[in-house]
Amino acid sequence: MNLVFFLLIAAATLVAALAELNGGHDAMENLSNAALKAAEGAVPLALGLIGVMALFLGLMKVAEEAGLVRATARLLAPLMRRLFPQVPAAHPAMGAMIMNVAANLLGLGNAATPFGIRAMEHLERLNRHKGFASDAQALFLALNTASVTILPTSVIALRAATGSTNPSAVIAPTLAATLISAVVAVLAARLLAPLFPLPAPAIDANDDTAANDNDEESGEPLPPPPPWAPWLALAFLVAIIPVMAFQGAALGHWIVPALLVGLLGYGLIRQVRIYECFVDGAREGFSIAVRIIPYLVAILVAIAMLRQSGALDLILGPLARFTAPWGIPAEALTMAGMRSLSGSGSFGLLASYMNDPAIGPDSPSGILLGTIYGSSETTFYVIAVYFGAVGIRRMRHALAAGLIADVAGLLAAVAACALLIS
């Protein structure tokens, strides 16, 4: 991350300096203002996450105490064991990762972040190389950048707000694109891991990290689920896809209330003291939000400088001339590049495209742009938040795997829209 951080800032400064020397008035002043404004904005952004983190970490705590996380982990244990062989099957990290995947599946980006941070914390307790991303952490982050999505809630809402006659038209291509990018993310993380070897772990007699596989947190081995359970879960997943495709815009607003009632009600049935348990889990939201502020400052300043200097346009402009004949217009490249860098920036860009009479929400380009947004993630932001929350400084192959998944998501979105949208 050290080299990436430097290159982003150095490239932005060089482009702005050249613009200033070639008559571009106030280029360096605007660059300085963008950097300072981004640094100031990192703190409100982190503080704004406190409420959301507190809400969903509280729900996560209730789900853990009620045994729901363990039951879900048991259902998906065969798949998760293959993806994460380094993590004990009954470890809390499994449940947290599953909750994160489920939140992404339903397009609940704000809910996915607290679950993802909780998963990273549990994975860090299994990590024998403090400060270095483990293979499991790198793979989990890559899966987050490729997050399989059934219901791209924010895109559907924006399309409805801009007058789309079919706001849910992006559901099918988004699901197809994210399935492909998820497979690519797994393959990239697995193939790149040997190229970034971990150092020998330091031996510390007082460090019990190496014993985590056998401690009480790892739990007893999960019994296999009933043979019919995975098939029932698969049938439910297949059945919900057409429902979301036709009623996604209306059902999207029901997800969070249903999640609240469902998790708290399940905890109540299992005789969990849900109020005290919720408060105990929510208390961690504040400390996590404060802990990630320095990492947010670093990445947001670098991204703001890159955007303000015009360096991003210099990179994507020539590339767009090459990709246009292949069905990837300049707007798609710009959206994909911005999406990897900034969530708010890419959403604002998508909104401007949806409101542009030349594009609009229901044109092939409009549907493609919505699919690209819904089938990718803010890779740099996710790295800053997830790794920053647990003090990871050496990300190894995590960024490369995430960016490869982003490229795969872009290509898959183009192919899916060409095949599924007439």
Side-chain angles (χ1 to χ4, degrees), residues 336-397:
M338 185 64 69
R339 182 64 172 145
S340 294
L341 295 172
S342 169
S344 58
S346 58
F347 189 77
L349 183 64
L350 179 63
S352 67
Y353 284 141
M354 295 297 98
N355 286 291
D356 186 347
I359 298 176
D362 291 328
S363 68
S365 293
I367 295 174
L368 173 61
L369 293 170
T371 301
I372 292 172
Y373 181 93
S375 60
S376 56
E377 186 52 90
T378 50
T379 303
F380 288 90
Y381 174 83
V382 170
I383 285 179
V385 172
Y386 284 20
F387 283 175
V390 295
I392 294 293
R393 297 182 297 277
R394 302 292 181 90
M395 59 184 175
R396 298 176 64 223
H397 57 293

Short mmCIF file of all heavy atoms in Angstrom, two decimals, residues 336-397:
data_model
loop_
_atom_site.label_atom_id
_atom_site.label_comp_id
_atom_site.label_asym_id
_atom_site.label_seq_id
_atom_site.Cartn_x
_atom_site.Cartn_y
_atom_site.Cartn_z
N ALA A 336 -16.55 2.68 -14.22
CA ALA A 336 -15.79 1.60 -13.59
C ALA A 336 -14.60 2.14 -12.81
O ALA A 336 -14.33 1.70 -11.68
CB ALA A 336 -15.33 0.60 -14.65
N GLY A 337 -13.88 3.09 -13.40
CA GLY A 337 -12.73 3.66 -12.69
C GLY A 337 -13.14 4.43 -11.46
O GLY A 337 -12.53 4.29 -10.39
N MET A 338 -14.20 5.22 -11.57
CA MET A 338 -14.66 5.99 -10.43
C MET A 338 -15.22 5.09 -9.34
O MET A 338 -15.03 5.35 -8.14
CB MET A 338 -15.73 6.99 -10.88
CG MET A 338 -16.20 7.93 -9.78
SD MET A 338 -14.90 9.02 -9.21
CE MET A 338 -14.69 10.06 -10.65
N ARG A 339 -15.87 4.01 -9.74
CA ARG A 339 -16.46 3.09 -8.76
C ARG A 339 -15.39 2.44 -7.89
O ARG A 339 -15.60 2.24 -6.70
CB ARG A 339 -17.26 2.02 -9.49
CG ARG A 339 -17.98 1.02 -8.60
CD ARG A 339 -19.03 1.68 -7.76
NE ARG A 339 -19.83 0.71 -7.04
CZ ARG A 339 -20.32 0.91 -5.83
NH1 ARG A 339 -20.08 2.04 -5.19
NH2 ARG A 339 -21.06 -0.01 -5.24
N SER A 340 -14.24 2.12 -8.47
CA SER A 340 -13.16 1.52 -7.70
C SER A 340 -12.57 2.51 -6.70
O SER A 340 -11.99 2.10 -5.69
CB SER A 340 -12.04 1.02 -8.63
OG SER A 340 -12.50 -0.05 -9.42
N LEU A 341 -12.71 3.80 -6.98
CA LEU A 341 -12.07 4.81 -6.15
C LEU A 341 -13.00 5.42 -5.10
O LEU A 341 -12.59 5.64 -3.96
CB LEU A 341 -11.52 5.93 -7.03
CG LEU A 341 -10.37 5.56 -7.98
CD1 LEU A 341 -10.08 6.71 -8.92
CD2 LEU A 341 -9.13 5.18 -7.20
N SER A 342 -14.24 5.71 -5.49
CA SER A 342 -15.10 6.49 -4.60
C SER A 342 -16.56 6.07 -4.73
O SER A 342 -17.10 6.08 -5.85
CB SER A 342 -14.96 7.99 -4.92
OG SER A 342 -15.94 8.75 -4.27
N GLY A 343 -17.18 5.72 -3.62
CA GLY A 343 -18.59 5.35 -3.63
C GLY A 343 -19.49 6.54 -3.90
O GLY A 343 -20.35 6.50 -4.79
N SER A 344 -19.29 7.63 -3.17
CA SER A 344 -20.13 8.82 -3.35
C SER A 344 -19.88 9.45 -4.72
O SER A 344 -20.81 9.92 -5.38
CB SER A 344 -19.85 9.84 -2.24
OG SER A 344 -18.48 10.21 -2.22
N GLY A 345 -18.61 9.48 -5.14
CA GLY A 345 -18.28 10.05 -6.44
C GLY A 345 -18.92 9.26 -7.58
O GLY A 345 -19.46 9.85 -8.53
N SER A 346 -18.86 7.93 -7.50
CA SER A 346 -19.42 7.11 -8.56
C SER A 346 -20.95 7.18 -8.57
O SER A 346 -21.58 7.15 -9.63
CB SER A 346 -18.95 5.66 -8.42
OG SER A 346 -19.32 5.13 -7.16
N PHE A 347 -21.56 7.30 -7.39
CA PHE A 347 -23.03 7.42 -7.34
C PHE A 347 -23.46 8.76 -7.93
O PHE A 347 -24.47 8.82 -8.65
CB PHE A 347 -23.52 7.29 -5.91
CG PHE A 347 -25.02 7.19 -5.81
CD1 PHE A 347 -25.67 6.00 -6.11
CD2 PHE A 347 -25.79 8.28 -5.42
CE1 PHE A 347 -27.06 5.89 -6.02
CE2 PHE A 347 -27.17 8.18 -5.32
CZ PHE A 347 -27.80 6.98 -5.63
N GLY A 348 -22.72 9.82 -7.61
CA GLY A 348 -23.02 11.11 -8.21
C GLY A 348 -22.85 11.10 -9.72
O GLY A 348 -23.65 11.69 -10.45
N LEU A 349 -21.81 10.39 -10.19
CA LEU A 349 -21.60 10.27 -11.63
C LEU A 349 -22.74 9.49 -12.27
O LEU A 349 -23.24 9.87 -13.35
CB LEU A 349 -20.26 9.56 -11.88
CG LEU A 349 -19.83 9.41 -13.34
CD1 LEU A 349 -19.60 10.77 -13.98
CD2 LEU A 349 -18.55 8.57 -13.43
N LEU A 350 -23.18 8.41 -11.63
CA LEU A 350 -24.30 7.63 -12.16
C LEU A 350 -25.56 8.48 -12.22
O LEU A 350 -26.31 8.43 -13.20
CB LEU A 350 -24.53 6.40 -11.29
CG LEU A 350 -25.69 5.49 -11.72
CD1 LEU A 350 -25.45 4.90 -13.10
CD2 LEU A 350 -25.90 4.37 -10.69
N ALA A 351 -25.80 9.28 -11.18
CA ALA A 351 -26.97 10.15 -11.16
C ALA A 351 -26.94 11.15 -12.31
O ALA A 351 -27.97 11.42 -12.95
CB ALA A 351 -27.07 10.87 -9.82
N SER A 352 -25.76 11.70 -12.60
CA SER A 352 -25.65 12.67 -13.69
C SER A 352 -25.92 12.00 -15.04
O SER A 352 -26.55 12.59 -15.92
CB SER A 352 -24.26 13.32 -13.70
OG SER A 352 -23.25 12.37 -14.02
N TYR A 353 -25.45 10.77 -15.21
CA TYR A 353 -25.73 10.03 -16.44
C TYR A 353 -27.23 9.72 -16.57
O TYR A 353 -27.81 9.81 -17.65
CB TYR A 353 -24.94 8.72 -16.48
CG TYR A 353 -23.48 8.89 -16.81
CD1 TYR A 353 -22.50 8.12 -16.16
CD2 TYR A 353 -23.05 9.81 -17.76
CE1 TYR A 353 -21.16 8.26 -16.46
CE2 TYR A 353 -21.69 9.96 -18.05
CZ TYR A 353 -20.76 9.18 -17.40
OH TYR A 353 -19.43 9.32 -17.69
N MET A 354 -27.85 9.31 -15.45
CA MET A 354 -29.28 8.99 -15.50
C MET A 354 -30.13 10.21 -15.85
O MET A 354 -31.20 10.08 -16.46
CB MET A 354 -29.74 8.42 -14.15
CG MET A 354 -29.12 7.09 -13.75
SD MET A 354 -29.50 5.70 -14.83
CE MET A 354 -28.01 5.68 -15.83
N ASN A 355 -29.67 11.39 -15.45
CA ASN A 355 -30.40 12.61 -15.72
C ASN A 355 -30.02 13.26 -17.05
O ASN A 355 -30.60 14.28 -17.43
CB ASN A 355 -30.18 13.62 -14.59
CG ASN A 355 -30.95 13.25 -13.33
OD1 ASN A 355 -32.18 13.30 -13.29
ND2 ASN A 355 -30.23 12.84 -12.30
N ASP A 356 -29.04 12.70 -17.73
CA ASP A 356 -28.60 13.23 -19.03
C ASP A 356 -29.59 12.77 -20.10
O ASP A 356 -29.76 11.57 -20.32
CB ASP A 356 -27.20 12.71 -19.34
CG ASP A 356 -26.62 13.33 -20.60
OD1 ASP A 356 -27.39 13.95 -21.37
OD2 ASP A 356 -25.42 13.16 -20.85
N PRO A 357 -30.26 13.68 -20.81
CA PRO A 357 -31.24 13.27 -21.83
C PRO A 357 -30.61 12.39 -22.93
O PRO A 357 -31.31 11.59 -23.53
CB PRO A 357 -31.73 14.60 -22.40
CG PRO A 357 -31.46 15.61 -21.33
CD PRO A 357 -30.21 15.14 -20.64
N ALA A 358 -29.30 12.53 -23.15
CA ALA A 358 -28.66 11.73 -24.19
C ALA A 358 -28.45 10.29 -23.76
O ALA A 358 -28.20 9.42 -24.61
CB ALA A 358 -27.30 12.36 -24.55
N ILE A 359 -28.55 10.03 -22.45
CA ILE A 359 -28.35 8.66 -21.95
C ILE A 359 -29.63 8.17 -21.30
O ILE A 359 -30.29 7.26 -21.80
CB ILE A 359 -27.17 8.61 -20.96
CG1 ILE A 359 -25.87 9.01 -21.67
CG2 ILE A 359 -27.04 7.21 -20.35
CD1 ILE A 359 -24.67 9.06 -20.77
N GLY A 360 -30.01 8.76 -20.16
CA GLY A 360 -31.24 8.38 -19.49
C GLY A 360 -31.15 7.01 -18.83
O GLY A 360 -30.23 6.24 -19.09
N PRO A 361 -32.12 6.67 -17.99
CA PRO A 361 -32.05 5.41 -17.25
C PRO A 361 -32.39 4.17 -18.06
O PRO A 361 -31.93 3.07 -17.74
CB PRO A 361 -33.07 5.62 -16.12
CG PRO A 361 -34.05 6.59 -16.68
CD PRO A 361 -33.25 7.50 -17.57
N ASP A 362 -33.19 4.31 -19.13
CA ASP A 362 -33.69 3.12 -19.83
C ASP A 362 -32.99 2.84 -21.15
O ASP A 362 -33.34 1.87 -21.84
CB ASP A 362 -35.19 3.26 -20.08
CG ASP A 362 -35.99 3.17 -18.79
OD1 ASP A 362 -35.55 2.44 -17.89
OD2 ASP A 362 -37.04 3.83 -18.69
N SER A 363 -32.02 3.65 -21.53
CA SER A 363 -31.25 3.35 -22.74
C SER A 363 -30.29 2.19 -22.46
O SER A 363 -30.00 1.87 -21.30
CB SER A 363 -30.46 4.58 -23.18
OG SER A 363 -29.43 4.86 -22.24
N PRO A 364 -29.80 1.51 -23.49
CA PRO A 364 -28.81 0.45 -23.26
C PRO A 364 -27.61 0.94 -22.46
O PRO A 364 -27.11 0.23 -21.58
CB PRO A 364 -28.41 0.03 -24.68
CG PRO A 364 -29.63 0.34 -25.51
CD PRO A 364 -30.20 1.58 -24.91
N SER A 365 -27.15 2.17 -22.75
CA SER A 365 -26.02 2.72 -21.99
C SER A 365 -26.41 2.98 -20.54
O SER A 365 -25.62 2.74 -19.63
CB SER A 365 -25.54 4.02 -22.64
OG SER A 365 -24.98 3.78 -23.90
N GLY A 366 -27.62 3.46 -20.33
CA GLY A 366 -28.07 3.73 -18.96
C GLY A 366 -28.16 2.46 -18.14
O GLY A 366 -27.75 2.43 -16.96
N ILE A 367 -28.67 1.39 -18.73
CA ILE A 367 -28.75 0.11 -18.02
C ILE A 367 -27.35 -0.45 -17.77
O ILE A 367 -27.06 -0.99 -16.69
CB ILE A 367 -29.61 -0.89 -18.82
CG1 ILE A 367 -31.06 -0.38 -18.89
CG2 ILE A 367 -29.57 -2.27 -18.18
CD1 ILE A 367 -31.96 -1.21 -19.78
N LEU A 368 -26.46 -0.31 -18.75
CA LEU A 368 -25.08 -0.77 -18.58
C LEU A 368 -24.39 -0.03 -17.44
O LEU A 368 -23.72 -0.66 -16.60
CB LEU A 368 -24.31 -0.57 -19.88
CG LEU A 368 -22.79 -0.85 -19.81
CD1 LEU A 368 -22.52 -2.29 -19.41
CD2 LEU A 368 -22.13 -0.51 -21.14
N LEU A 369 -24.55 1.28 -17.39
CA LEU A 369 -23.90 2.06 -16.33
C LEU A 369 -24.43 1.67 -14.95
O LEU A 369 -23.68 1.55 -13.99
CB LEU A 369 -24.11 3.55 -16.58
CG LEU A 369 -23.42 4.12 -17.83
CD1 LEU A 369 -23.89 5.54 -18.10
CD2 LEU A 369 -21.91 4.07 -17.66
N GLY A 370 -25.74 1.45 -14.84
CA GLY A 370 -26.31 0.99 -13.58
C GLY A 370 -25.81 -0.38 -13.20
O GLY A 370 -25.56 -0.67 -12.02
N THR A 371 -25.64 -1.26 -14.19
CA THR A 371 -25.13 -2.60 -13.92
C THR A 371 -23.68 -2.55 -13.45
O THR A 371 -23.30 -3.28 -12.53
CB THR A 371 -25.24 -3.47 -15.19
OG1 THR A 371 -26.60 -3.53 -15.60
CG2 THR A 371 -24.72 -4.87 -14.94
N ILE A 372 -22.88 -1.70 -14.06
CA ILE A 372 -21.48 -1.56 -13.64
C ILE A 372 -21.41 -1.08 -12.20
O ILE A 372 -20.63 -1.60 -11.39
CB ILE A 372 -20.73 -0.60 -14.58
CG1 ILE A 372 -20.59 -1.21 -15.98
CG2 ILE A 372 -19.35 -0.24 -14.02
CD1 ILE A 372 -20.04 -0.26 -17.01
N TYR A 373 -22.23 -0.10 -11.86
CA TYR A 373 -22.24 0.40 -10.49
C TYR A 373 -22.66 -0.70 -9.51
O TYR A 373 -22.05 -0.89 -8.46
CB TYR A 373 -23.18 1.60 -10.36
CG TYR A 373 -23.21 2.19 -8.98
CD1 TYR A 373 -22.36 3.24 -8.64
CD2 TYR A 373 -24.07 1.71 -7.99
CE1 TYR A 373 -22.39 3.80 -7.37
CE2 TYR A 373 -24.10 2.24 -6.73
CZ TYR A 373 -23.26 3.29 -6.42
OH TYR A 373 -23.27 3.81 -5.14
N GLY A 374 -23.70 -1.43 -9.87
CA GLY A 374 -24.23 -2.45 -8.95
C GLY A 374 -23.38 -3.70 -8.86
O GLY A 374 -23.52 -4.46 -7.90
N SER A 375 -22.50 -3.92 -9.85
CA SER A 375 -21.72 -5.16 -9.86
C SER A 375 -20.27 -4.96 -9.48
O SER A 375 -19.44 -5.84 -9.70
CB SER A 375 -21.80 -5.80 -11.26
OG SER A 375 -21.29 -4.93 -12.24
N SER A 376 -19.93 -3.81 -8.91
CA SER A 376 -18.55 -3.55 -8.48
C SER A 376 -18.57 -2.85 -7.14
O SER A 376 -19.62 -2.47 -6.62
CB SER A 376 -17.80 -2.72 -9.53
OG SER A 376 -18.50 -1.52 -9.80
N GLU A 377 -17.40 -2.67 -6.58
CA GLU A 377 -17.30 -2.09 -5.25
C GLU A 377 -16.16 -1.07 -5.21
O GLU A 377 -15.30 -1.05 -6.09
CB GLU A 377 -17.06 -3.21 -4.22
CG GLU A 377 -17.07 -2.80 -2.76
CD GLU A 377 -18.31 -2.02 -2.37
OE1 GLU A 377 -19.30 -2.62 -1.96
OE2 GLU A 377 -18.25 -0.78 -2.48
N THR A 378 -16.19 -0.22 -4.21
CA THR A 378 -15.14 0.79 -4.02
C THR A 378 -13.92 0.11 -3.39
O THR A 378 -13.72 0.14 -2.18
CB THR A 378 -15.65 1.94 -3.13
OG1 THR A 378 -16.24 1.36 -1.95
CG2 THR A 378 -16.69 2.75 -3.84
N THR A 379 -13.10 -0.48 -4.25
CA THR A 379 -12.00 -1.34 -3.80
C THR A 379 -11.06 -0.62 -2.85
O THR A 379 -10.68 -1.16 -1.80
CB THR A 379 -11.23 -1.87 -5.02
OG1 THR A 379 -12.15 -2.56 -5.88
CG2 THR A 379 -10.13 -2.82 -4.59
N PHE A 380 -10.64 0.59 -3.19
CA PHE A 380 -9.68 1.31 -2.35
C PHE A 380 -10.30 1.67 -1.00
O PHE A 380 -9.64 1.62 0.03
CB PHE A 380 -9.18 2.56 -3.08
CG PHE A 380 -8.25 2.26 -4.21
CD1 PHE A 380 -8.73 2.05 -5.49
CD2 PHE A 380 -6.88 2.17 -4.00
CE1 PHE A 380 -7.87 1.77 -6.54
CE2 PHE A 380 -6.01 1.89 -5.04
CZ PHE A 380 -6.51 1.68 -6.31
N TYR A 381 -11.57 2.04 -1.02
CA TYR A 381 -12.26 2.37 0.23
C TYR A 381 -12.38 1.13 1.12
O TYR A 381 -12.15 1.19 2.33
CB TYR A 381 -13.64 2.94 -0.08
CG TYR A 381 -14.51 3.18 1.12
CD1 TYR A 381 -14.38 4.35 1.87
CD2 TYR A 381 -15.47 2.25 1.50
CE1 TYR A 381 -15.19 4.58 2.97
CE2 TYR A 381 -16.29 2.47 2.59
CZ TYR A 381 -16.14 3.64 3.32
OH TYR A 381 -16.94 3.85 4.42
N VAL A 382 -12.75 -0.01 0.53
CA VAL A 382 -12.89 -1.24 1.29
C VAL A 382 -11.56 -1.63 1.92
O VAL A 382 -11.50 -2.04 3.09
CB VAL A 382 -13.43 -2.37 0.39
CG1 VAL A 382 -13.34 -3.71 1.11
CG2 VAL A 382 -14.87 -2.09 0.00
N ILE A 383 -10.48 -1.51 1.16
CA ILE A 383 -9.16 -1.83 1.71
C ILE A 383 -8.84 -0.91 2.88
O ILE A 383 -8.36 -1.36 3.94
CB ILE A 383 -8.09 -1.72 0.62
CG1 ILE A 383 -8.17 -2.92 -0.33
CG2 ILE A 383 -6.69 -1.65 1.22
CD1 ILE A 383 -7.18 -2.88 -1.46
N ALA A 384 -9.08 0.38 2.71
CA ALA A 384 -8.76 1.34 3.77
C ALA A 384 -9.56 1.05 5.05
O ALA A 384 -9.02 1.07 6.15
CB ALA A 384 -9.04 2.77 3.29
N VAL A 385 -10.85 0.76 4.89
CA VAL A 385 -11.71 0.55 6.05
C VAL A 385 -11.46 -0.81 6.70
O VAL A 385 -11.24 -0.92 7.91
CB VAL A 385 -13.20 0.69 5.66
CG1 VAL A 385 -14.10 0.29 6.80
CG2 VAL A 385 -13.50 2.14 5.27
N TYR A 386 -11.49 -1.87 5.91
CA TYR A 386 -11.38 -3.22 6.47
C TYR A 386 -9.99 -3.49 7.04
O TYR A 386 -9.85 -3.99 8.15
CB TYR A 386 -11.70 -4.27 5.40
CG TYR A 386 -13.16 -4.42 5.09
CD1 TYR A 386 -14.08 -3.42 5.39
CD2 TYR A 386 -13.65 -5.56 4.48
CE1 TYR A 386 -15.41 -3.55 5.11
CE2 TYR A 386 -15.00 -5.71 4.19
CZ TYR A 386 -15.87 -4.70 4.50
OH TYR A 386 -17.21 -4.84 4.23
N PHE A 387 -8.96 -3.16 6.28
CA PHE A 387 -7.61 -3.39 6.78
C PHE A 387 -7.23 -2.37 7.86
O PHE A 387 -6.51 -2.69 8.80
CB PHE A 387 -6.60 -3.33 5.63
CG PHE A 387 -6.57 -4.58 4.78
CD1 PHE A 387 -5.79 -4.65 3.65
CD2 PHE A 387 -7.35 -5.68 5.10
CE1 PHE A 387 -5.75 -5.79 2.86
CE2 PHE A 387 -7.34 -6.83 4.32
CZ PHE A 387 -6.53 -6.88 3.20
N GLY A 388 -7.73 -1.14 7.71
CA GLY A 388 -7.44 -0.14 8.72
C GLY A 388 -8.04 -0.48 10.07
O GLY A 388 -7.45 -0.19 11.12
N ALA A 389 -9.20 -1.14 10.06
CA ALA A 389 -9.87 -1.49 11.32
C ALA A 389 -9.06 -2.48 12.14
O ALA A 389 -9.21 -2.54 13.37
CB ALA A 389 -11.25 -2.07 11.03
N VAL A 390 -8.21 -3.28 11.50
CA VAL A 390 -7.44 -4.30 12.23
C VAL A 390 -5.94 -4.05 12.14
O VAL A 390 -5.14 -4.90 12.56
CB VAL A 390 -7.77 -5.72 11.71
CG1 VAL A 390 -9.22 -6.06 12.01
CG2 VAL A 390 -7.50 -5.86 10.22
N GLY A 391 -5.53 -2.90 11.59
CA GLY A 391 -4.12 -2.54 11.59
C GLY A 391 -3.27 -3.26 10.55
O GLY A 391 -2.05 -3.39 10.73
N ILE A 392 -3.88 -3.70 9.44
CA ILE A 392 -3.10 -4.34 8.38
C ILE A 392 -2.38 -3.25 7.58
O ILE A 392 -3.00 -2.33 7.05
CB ILE A 392 -4.02 -5.15 7.43
CG1 ILE A 392 -4.64 -6.33 8.17
CG2 ILE A 392 -3.23 -5.64 6.22
CD1 ILE A 392 -3.66 -7.38 8.59
N ARG A 393 -1.06 -3.36 7.49
CA ARG A 393 -0.26 -2.38 6.74
C ARG A 393 0.29 -2.96 5.44
O ARG A 393 0.55 -2.21 4.51
CB ARG A 393 0.89 -1.87 7.61
CG ARG A 393 0.44 -1.13 8.86
CD ARG A 393 1.62 -0.61 9.66
NE ARG A 393 2.45 -1.72 10.14
CZ ARG A 393 2.19 -2.42 11.24
NH1 ARG A 393 1.12 -2.13 11.96
NH2 ARG A 393 2.98 -3.39 11.62
N ARG A 394 0.50 -4.25 5.38
CA ARG A 394 0.99 -4.89 4.16
C ARG A 394 -0.15 -5.72 3.57
O ARG A 394 -0.50 -6.77 4.09
CB ARG A 394 2.19 -5.79 4.48
CG ARG A 394 3.36 -5.07 5.13
CD ARG A 394 4.00 -4.10 4.15
NE ARG A 394 5.14 -3.42 4.75
CZ ARG A 394 6.40 -3.88 4.72
NH1 ARG A 394 6.64 -5.05 4.14
NH2 ARG A 394 7.38 -3.20 5.27
N MET A 395 -0.73 -5.22 2.47
CA MET A 395 -1.93 -5.87 1.93
C MET A 395 -1.63 -7.03 1.01
O MET A 395 -2.54 -7.72 0.58
CB MET A 395 -2.78 -4.83 1.20
CG MET A 395 -2.06 -4.16 0.06
SD MET A 395 -3.06 -2.88 -0.68
CE MET A 395 -1.89 -2.20 -1.86
N ARG A 396 -0.34 -7.26 0.69
CA ARG A 396 0.07 -8.36 -0.19
C ARG A 396 -0.71 -8.32 -1.51
O ARG A 396 -0.70 -7.31 -2.19
CB ARG A 396 -0.09 -9.69 0.54
CG ARG A 396 0.78 -9.83 1.80
CD ARG A 396 0.51 -11.12 2.53
NE ARG A 396 0.88 -12.28 1.73
CZ ARG A 396 0.13 -13.38 1.63
NH1 ARG A 396 -1.02 -13.46 2.29
NH2 ARG A 396 0.55 -14.40 0.90
N HIS A 397 -1.40 -9.39 -1.86
CA HIS A 397 -2.06 -9.48 -3.16
C HIS A 397 -3.52 -9.03 -3.13
O HIS A 397 -4.23 -9.18 -4.13
CB HIS A 397 -2.01 -10.92 -3.67
CG HIS A 397 -2.63 -11.91 -2.71
ND1 HIS A 397 -2.09 -12.19 -1.48
CD2 HIS A 397 -3.75 -12.69 -2.82
CE1 HIS A 397 -2.83 -13.10 -0.87
NE2 HIS A 397 -3.84 -13.41 -1.66
#
